[in-house]
Amino acid sequence: MELIEPSLSYAASFEEGIEEFHSDHVPGFLNNGEPLTDVAAYIELTKKQARGEALPEGWVPATTLWLIDHDEFIGNVNIRHRMTDTLAKRGGHIGYAIRPSMQGKGYGTEMLRLALIEAQKLGIDRVLITCSKNNPASRRVIEKNGGVLQDEIDVDGEPVLRFWIDNR
């Protein structure tokens, strides 16, 4: 199991995973909610966005990585290089998603552990991670990786939990 930069080698598996997210009605998982029509173009876009190019308004540079296990796309993680007021409320430094058929198998915990290593390489020593109060699985993933609850806030009518992880 490893975190890798998005690669056309896993395009078919990635597309299957995206189909699962859409079938499960996971909004905004990819492409700012736009349908994926070209995996190669999406991969190139992730590289540009990591460099701070082609960012939608209000976005920050972010490294996108895929969790691969036995040559299969398992999930997606975004490591945001810096914080904004909006991300401090919801989103944080790291956002992640495990494809629905792979949830509940420990992949989220391992993906976040590996993402924290990558965040440290980017110089992010104190990591903010948020999740919906209504997502106990994500809360467990964060806590298993050392997340300490800072508070619960209301963001657009949804209770959001904010956790900090000391990443030194």
Side-chain angles (χ1 to χ4, degrees), residues 17-27 98-101 103:
I18 295 306
E19 213 26 66
E20 285 182 32
F21 283 108
H22 290 301
S23 294
D24 253 26
H25 306 290
V26 179
I98 300 293
R99 66 192 282 182
S101 66
Q103 292 175 2

Side-chain angles (χ1 to χ4, degrees), residues 89-90 132-134 152-160:
K89 293 176 185 168
R90 181 187 308 187
S132 168
K133 184 178 181 178
N134 301 319
E152 175 184 326
I153 63 171
D154 181 275
V155 180
D156 300 326
E158 180 185 0
V160 174

Side-chain angles (χ1 to χ4, degrees), residues 102-158:
M102 296 295 167
Q103 292 175 2
K105 299 179 180 182
Y107 285 117
T109 300
E110 182 63 9
M111 185 165 61
L112 180 54
R113 184 188 74 77
L114 294 170
L116 288 167
I117 294 168
E118 297 302 317
Q120 191 174 50
K121 291 176 187 176
L122 291 167
I124 305 170
D125 294 330
R126 193 161 182 256
V127 178
L128 175 66
I129 303 178
T130 71
C131 72
S132 168
K133 184 178 181 178
N134 301 319
N135 188 344
S138 189
R139 180 180 187 156
R140 285 190 300 274
V141 165
I142 296 165
E143 290 176 338
K144 285 179 183 176
N145 278 283
V148 176
L149 181 65
Q150 172 182 300
D151 57 14
E152 175 184 326
I153 63 171
D154 181 275
V155 180
D156 300 326
E158 180 185 0

